[in-house]
Amino acid sequence: MSLEILGFRLLAPFFGYSLYVFGSLIGLILLALATGYLLGGYFGDKDVNLKRFLQLFLASAAYLFFVNLNYRIVLEWFSGSGIVIGALLSTFIIFFIPMIMLASFSPYFIKRLSDDQGVGVSAGFVFSISTLGSLAGTFLTAFYLLPEFGTQTVFYVNSVLMLVMPFLFFIFGKKEYLILVLAIIFFFSNRGAFKDPGVIYSVDSVYNYLEVVDFGDFLGLKIEKRLPFIYSTFPKEKNTRNFLIYDLFAAPPLINGAENNLLLG
């Protein structure tokens, strides 16, 4: 659920908050979940050992970690493909493979646990734990992580957690695995945040992703990258001002000599 909520914030600056974006993201994630459930059940019935299963999970985690380093390129590339097609393709590339492996956990471990206890008890236990984890991920991501740390940091944390979890199993036999993954994480954690030219400040607010852009004579506020709209401007020089849309409302009083005006909206 943390990745799903994060997906909305990743797509919003490039494709907006429309129903098409929500539908594209939720639909593809549901498809990934369905695929993962089938794959996990198949692995369970084929008696795939835990080490081999975690190796597959590690491969998908490494994929997500690589995407985390390049997701802005993916989103910008598909932002010109339209809201529906662009959102679908972006969601597929960024989230589809990791969500498949995450979904495969439940049926795989239900099968493994059912060898020692009943299928009903195993299924109830696994689904209860996974639902509680989803609940915690939803509240933690929506109410704390995203407002406090921003989209890029939360995406990085998610990808690192997926990358580290398999090593908790492998390090008991070979500690060099842990050293390797920590070295990779440390190397990439020092890279600077990606910003477009002219962006002097950016923040993930509770409501939207905001950017303050330097346009030369004035500063502008933007919330979407796919559209050239500026929602607010601030002139750098006090004795100069830029033409704003609400300046048009000064025209009627000058024309008809009105003494009072009412502006709604």
Side-chain angles (χ1 to χ4, degrees), residues 65-224:
F65 187 79
F66 176 78
V67 169
N68 172 62
L69 305 178
N70 301 278
Y71 74 92
R72 293 288 296 269
I73 299 175
V74 174
L75 294 173
E76 289 180 352
W77 179 269
F78 290 113
S79 61
S81 302
I83 295 177
V84 177
I85 300 299
L88 281 172
L89 293 176
S90 299
T91 301
F92 181 85
I93 292 177
I94 296 175
F95 294 109
F96 196 74
I97 293 178
M99 292 300 294
I100 287 177
M101 289 308 301
L102 285 173
S104 66
F105 258 80
S106 293
Y108 178 78
F109 280 101
I110 288 174
K111 173 62 177 178
R112 290 184 63 88
L113 291 174
S114 64
D115 295 336
D116 300 324
Q117 54 190 2
V119 176
V121 174
S122 301
F125 175 77
V126 170
F127 283 126
S128 176
I129 294 299
S130 63
T131 303
L132 289 174
S134 297
L135 180 65
T138 299
F139 287 155
L140 190 63
T141 302
F143 298 121
Y144 179 69
L145 293 177
L146 281 176
E148 290 293 328
F149 301 104
T151 303
Q152 186 173 7
T153 301
V154 177
F155 193 15
Y156 182 78
V157 169
N158 273 275
S159 60
V160 167
L161 287 176
M162 283 190 63
L163 196 60
V164 168
M165 281 192 297
F167 285 97
L168 296 178
F169 173 81
F170 293 126
I171 59 176
F172 291 105
K174 295 182 179 180
K175 293 185 178 181
E176 58 267 23
Y177 281 122
L178 181 61
I179 297 175
L180 176 62
V181 71
L182 291 177
I184 294 174
I185 293 170
F186 177 77
F187 175 79
F188 287 107
S189 64
N190 290 323
R191 66 188 184 91
F194 178 85
K195 288 186 178 181
D196 294 328
V199 176
I200 61 175
Y201 179 74
S202 61
V203 64
D204 277 286
S205 72
V206 177
Y207 302 101
N208 215 324
Y209 175 76
L210 308 176
E211 284 185 343
V212 178
V213 185
D214 188 345
F215 289 95
D217 295 332
F218 64 94
L219 305 178
L221 176 67
K222 296 185 65 177
I223 64 172
E224 289 192 36

